[in-house]
Every structure is written in structure tokens, then in C-alpha cells.
Amino acid sequence: MGKTWSIALAIGLLGTGVLAGVPAGASPGGVRWGPCPADAAAPGLECSTIKVPLDHRAPEGQQIDVAISRLASKNPEKRRGILLTNPGGPSPGLKFPAELAAAKLPQSVLDSYDLIGFDPRGFGHSTPVTCDLTPEQQAVGNVPPYARNAADVAKRAEQSKAIAQQCATSKTSWLLPHISTADTARDMDRIRAALGEEKTSFAGYSWGTYLGAVYTTLFPQRGDRIILDSNVHPTGWDYANDRLYAQGFDDRFPDFAKFAAAQDGTYHLGSTPEKITAKYFELAGRLDRKPEQDVDGATFRMLTYGFLFSNAGMPLVAKIWQAIDTGQPLPPIGSGEGTVSNVDNMISGRYYTICADSRWPRSVATYQATVALDRLRHPMFGAAGANVQPCAFWQSPAAPPVRVGDQGPSNVLMLQNERDPATPLAGAKRLRQAFGDRARMVTVDAGGHGVYPYVGNHCADTAATAFLTTGQRPERDLACAAEPR
């Protein structure tokens, strides 16, 4: 599949197993820890499985597996409990504690907690699901393709209907009524209990912020210190959230325009941010008319969007633009087939989860109207976020919604970049409002997806570390100025 697959995989990810090994040391709750599976192995990381109810309304009924991991504190005198973690996605999180440590999570936090990871139900080693997705279907991950017109929406609707039908007839379709954020939050409380802890702290990122919000809503007295980083709005990943991607792109793109203009001697895309913006529309329009090197206008827009999740992606975006602009071969984009163990499971699990969490519009005409509106309001990317997802044709009823509100202890700290393309500040502000006095929010004058410890902003890092290690939050919402890396 070559270059086409590499591009598809890069876009699609912009997101059956029993754990092997002889049991080793036990946790206070009786969990037996042993080696991790190969795809989650990391220095110091231990793994296990626990059983949780398939249906939490029938706790004594059928059980399924949830795979968990532990990066244990090596300082018993300073250890105060567990910090359950989630990387977002939704996606597997078994290796995430080791990834946080590698990202330079402060030693004081590593001393204070056993970092606990887990694959959410339906993912990885936790009773995985499938929709039997083809490589082409896997290529459309979190965000649907940019729709130039109503016909593009109708085409995407047919593709989405096929995916929904595949999910409904797959060998794991029996799990459809039981894969939701609320189900996963209830699993988290089972993990806490299995580890013998009265309370759990939590650090969730991206979709993991919604998971954390649901957990602390369902179990307000079980949460200790709750960190939510790069926040989804309070109703989770629904159609309104998809439409926010357009605002996120608008917020983030000026950072790239400044970068590319400053590097005009290298990339020759324009000497001012205004010229870079014009070049975006020029290249997108050109590729809409005639795709080049397996890149059409929708793919070009998606690559630009996805690789601006971090500043490290800006040079690659500029190189892609330069190659298209000059007719040169594209730079390496994806790391190739086989580097992700199961893309089908990751994308299928996301559909199982988000389509169960809320009701999506079912009329194709509704999507055609909102795409046309958002293309005008947000011409850079609005016609992607407003396009159709398989949830429009989902054949399993949505789970009862969990209303995030202000009832419960004041133990939530939200962290948010001002120019996050994936979870824009606009959505974070809505979650902050929903939490009321339960939360404080730290905003950072920075772009990209992920704050702690990824941006390296001393102001935000200090606030988050102090909260996790001492319980002290800022007295009021805090705005952190930009800091050079």
C-alpha cells in the first residue's frame, strides 16, 4: 500500500489478549503484578488484569477483562496513593505511565504516587472490539474529511453508514451496549477498589478529561486530586465537539503562519503570516481541483491540522507544503504499515465509545446544512469538523447521559493551552463553567495539544505539581504567560 497507506495511517491516528507472565508482587488489594505484554513493555512497568462487570447494572453477571499497569513509587515514605492516568483518544493506555515518566513528569510526583495505566474496555488488552475496518476506513480517524459541497457530505454519509453496519454485525457487536465513557469510569472505580485504595487521584488528557469529569461526577467522594489537561467540553465527544475542531484550527494556524514566514528563506512559502495564509487556500484549492502525489484537498487540510498538534510538527508541515508547491516528492509522513499493532481496534473502539455517549443528528441534510454554514464561518477547516461520522447511523441506543456539574468536592485542576487545535479553549471554558467552584483552570499562552509536562511552561508545571503533591490549587483561575523553550 506504500505511500498512500503511510498518509492514511498518519491521518487515521491523529489517535484478544491475556497478559503474559508469571505473577510477581501483589498490591494491597490483592492484584498480582507481572510482566507487561510486548506492546506495553517499558522499564519499571508491571501489568495485570482485573475482572469487571460487562453490565455494571448487573455486577454479578458476565465479567470482562480490563488490563492495568503500574509504575510504582520507589519512595515509600513519600508515597500517598495512586494516580490513575489516561492518555485520551480514546485509546489504549497501558504504557502511558512510562510515557509520562519519560516526558519528565517531576520526580516529586513519581515519588508521591504509583502511576496506574489501563486499556479502557474495548481497547488493546481489555476485551477488544472490532468493526472489521478496511485500510481505507481506518484512514479516517478522529476527524472526517473536508467536504467541498453537499455531494461530498452525501458520499461520506454512505461511507459512514457502511462502517456503522460493520460495527453492528461484527463478532464483537455484543459489546456495543456496554462500551461508553460512563462504563469506563465505573471500571476506574473497580480498579481503585482492586488496588485497595479508598481514593484515587487522576490525570486525564484530551478525551481523558471527559472520562475524568464523568468519573468525578459519578464518584465525587472517591476522587482525590483530579488533573484534566487539554479539555473536551462538558458533553464529551459529540457532534458539537466535532464542530469545535474548526475553531481549534483557526486558533492554532497563526502560530504556524508566523513560523513559516520567519523561515521563508528555507521553505519559500511566503514572507508574512498573511502570505502563508493565502498559500494555504491556494494549495488547498489546487488540490481540490487535481490531487497530486496521493494528496487531495481534504488530505492536505487534514495533514496540516494533525501535525500542528505540537510545535515539533511545524517543520514537517512546511516541508509538505513546499513539496506540493514545487512538485517535488513528499517527505516521509507516516512511519509505515505495521508500526501500530491494531489500528482497526483503535478506530473501532473510538466509534463504539463516542457513538454510545450521545445522540448524533441522523439526517444527511442536517450535516449538509451545518457543513455549508461552518465552511463560511471557518473556511480553513469548518467543513471537516461538521462532516458526517458513523455515529449518525449507529444501531445501538446511546447510554444515559452523565451531566457534569458543580456538585462535589473542590478538587479539580484544569490545564489548557490557549491555542489547542484538538480541544480548543472554547470547549474548556464550557467545562470550567459546568464545574463551577469544583475547578480551577490554568491557561497557558501556548499552542498545541497537551500542557503538563509537555509544553515546559514553568508557571503551569509549578501549579500542577503543587496540586498533585500538596493538594494546593491556585486561589483563582490562573493565566500563564508564554515562556521560551
Side-chain angles (χ1 to χ4, degrees), residues 107-185:
Q107 188 61 46
S108 58
V109 175
L110 299 176
D111 288 341
S112 297
Y113 298 95
D114 292 346
L115 269 57
I116 306 298
F118 68 103
D119 287 349
R121 58 169 59 202
F123 290 89
H125 299 273
S126 295
T127 312
V129 300
T130 182
C131 292
D132 300 313
L133 301 175
T134 67
E136 291 74 21
Q137 290 171 332
Q138 293 170 21
V140 182
N142 289 2
V143 189
Y146 187 93
R148 299 162 299 172
N149 48 45
D152 281 354
V153 178
K155 178 181 178 181
R156 175 59 185 162
E158 289 303 310
Q159 295 167 345
S160 295
K161 188 179 297 183
I163 291 173
Q165 177 65 21
Q166 288 170 221
C167 296
T169 57
S170 77
K171 64 183 179 182
T172 60
S173 61
W174 58 278
L175 284 161
L176 281 170
H178 307 292
I179 307 290
S180 71
T181 301
D183 286 314
T184 300

Side-chain angles (χ1 to χ4, degrees), residues 69-414:
S69 63
R70 177 179 71 169
L71 189 65
S73 167
K74 296 179 180 178
N75 194 329
E77 293 183 358
K78 293 185 177 180
R79 183 192 181 278
R80 64 177 313 276
I82 59 171
L83 178 65
L84 200 59
T85 66
N86 181 273
S91 59
L94 208 57
K95 196 174 181 179
F96 192 50
E99 292 169 348
L100 280 172
K104 306 300 183 185
L105 197 69
Q107 188 61 46
S108 58
V109 175
L110 299 176
D111 288 341
S112 297
Y113 298 95
D114 292 346
L115 269 57
I116 306 298
F118 68 103
D119 287 349
R121 58 169 59 202
F123 290 89
H125 299 273
S126 295
T127 312
V129 300
T130 182
C131 292
D132 300 313
L133 301 175
T134 67
E136 291 74 21
Q137 290 171 332
Q138 293 170 21
V140 182
N142 289 2
V143 189
Y146 187 93
R148 299 162 299 172
N149 48 45
D152 281 354
V153 178
K155 178 181 178 181
R156 175 59 185 162
E158 289 303 310
Q159 295 167 345
S160 295
K161 188 179 297 183
I163 291 173
Q165 177 65 21
Q166 288 170 221
C167 296
T169 57
S170 77
K171 64 183 179 182
T172 60
S173 61
W174 58 278
L175 284 161
L176 281 170
H178 307 292
I179 307 290
S180 71
T181 301
D183 286 314
T184 300
R186 293 183 175 99
D187 292 344
M188 285 169 52
D189 207 54
R190 289 286 181 139
I191 294 171
R192 174 202 59 76
L195 295 177
E197 301 286 341
E198 292 186 7
K199 292 188 175 185
T200 179
S201 293
F202 178 75
Y205 296 74
S206 196
W207 170 82
T209 63
Y210 181 56
L211 176 61
V214 170
Y215 179 80
T216 197
T217 298
L218 294 177
F219 303 98
Q221 303 306 320
R222 304 274 177 80
D224 188 9
R225 298 168 185 175
I226 310 297
I227 289 269
L228 306 180
D229 189 318
S230 306
N231 295 270
V232 176
H233 75 165
T235 53
W237 188 350
D238 55 10
Y239 186 48
N241 183 75
D242 262 17
R243 293 180 71 184
L244 279 176
Y245 293 136
Q247 184 62 58
F249 192 110
D250 288 351
D251 293 343
R252 177 59 165 160
F253 187 82
D255 291 338
F256 173 71
K258 292 176 185 176
F259 165 83
Q263 301 293 324
D264 186 45
T266 300
Y267 302 114
H268 310 292
L269 298 171
S271 57
T272 66
E274 292 76 18
K275 290 181 179 179
I276 300 299
T277 303
K279 178 64 71 175
Y280 173 84
F281 287 108
E282 174 194 331
L283 294 175
R286 188 171 105 191
L287 295 170
D288 282 339
R289 294 186 294 272
K290 184 180 179 182
E292 303 173 18
Q293 306 183 67
D294 295 320
V295 177
D296 58 12
T299 303
F300 168 78
R301 292 175 176 93
M302 195 70 71
L303 288 171
T304 300
Y305 171 75
F307 286 111
L308 294 184
F309 279 30
S310 72
N311 290 343
M314 288 186 182
L316 178 57
V317 174
K319 290 175 184 177
I320 293 170
W321 284 31
Q322 183 183 40
I324 294 171
D325 194 34
T326 59
Q328 299 300 310
L330 291 174
I333 292 175
S335 52
E337 189 172 5
T339 57
V340 176
S341 59
N342 196 336
V343 181
D344 169 70
N345 171 244
M346 185 178 295
I347 304 299
S348 299
R350 290 176 185 176
Y351 290 144
Y352 273 60
T353 304
I354 69 172
C355 298
D357 278 352
S358 62
R359 298 180 183 277
W360 293 61
R362 301 193 68 85
S363 165
V364 176
T366 298
Y367 290 96
Q368 289 171 325
T370 51
V371 163
L373 178 62
D374 285 6
R375 189 188 302 111
L376 292 174
R377 288 179 172 176
H378 304 281
M380 301 194 88
F381 204 61
N387 207 352
V388 188
Q389 292 270 33
C391 302
F393 307 100
W394 211 242
Q395 298 182 31
S396 182
V402 176
R403 183 182 177 276
V404 177
D406 59 1
Q407 300 301 302
S410 300
N411 63 345
V412 178
L413 183 67
M414 301 170 58

